[in-house]
Amino acid sequence: QMQLVESGGGVVQTGGSLRLSCAASGRAYSNYAMGWFRQAPGKEREFVAGITWGGSTTYYGDSVKGRFTISRDNAKNTVYLQMNSLKPEDTAVYYCAAGPVLGRQGDLWHYWGQGTRVTVSS
């Protein structure tokens, strides 16, 4: 089993920035791809960003390209999501996920955190 704990959510104004963190414990974290998803009220879960186990490859959802950056520190068992130029439509609960491969589909990911809420005010 792997446990994932997100932090860093909060309320920010349009155009502001936040950095989310996801701390992993349990199974060999460095062997897993890590990703971020989000779900806004009344909407389906959306892939935000992903990063391979070594950190050499990253992948972003179209709505966040150029604004969000995913990174990981395997020495700290932590993955980050730097969110810049935030918009009201970025408001959602953000979930950290871990899995054997990097992909958009939620069912590819084996472990999930409990989520952290991000609210962008206009």
Side-chain angles (χ1 to χ4, degrees):
Q1 290 293 323
M2 180 184 293
Q3 291 75 44
L4 303 173
V5 179
E6 303 96 333
S7 61
V11 180
V12 63
Q13 290 186 335
T14 297
S17 299
L18 280 175
R19 189 176 81 155
L20 305 183
S21 299
C22 172
S25 61
R27 293 180 69 97
Y29 157 85
S30 61
N31 293 335
Y32 282 77
M34 299 296 295
W36 289 93
F37 287 75
R38 67 186 183 187
Q39 189 165 21
K43 295 188 177 181
E44 294 186 352
R45 183 175 56 193
E46 176 189 14
F47 173 79
V48 174
I51 187 168
T52 51
W53 69 269
S56 61
T57 301
T58 57
Y59 189 41
Y60 295 93
D62 291 340
S63 61
V64 306
K65 280 181 183 176
R67 299 188 297 122
F68 290 11
T69 303
I70 188 171
S71 61
R72 66 190 295 166
D73 184 340
N74 287 348
K76 295 182 178 180
N77 286 4
T78 301
V79 63
Y80 305 97
L81 184 69
Q82 178 66 43
M83 306 187 294
N84 298 329
S85 302
L86 284 162
K87 305 174 182 179
E89 50 264 44
D90 295 318
T91 295
V93 177
Y94 284 70
Y95 297 92
C96 177
V101 295
L102 180 57
R104 289 178 175 268
Q105 300 93 328
D107 57 8
L108 292 175
W109 301 84
H110 292 185
Y111 302 102
W112 295 85
Q114 82 290 348
T116 186
R117 186 174 301 276
V118 172
T119 302
V120 184
S121 61
S122 57

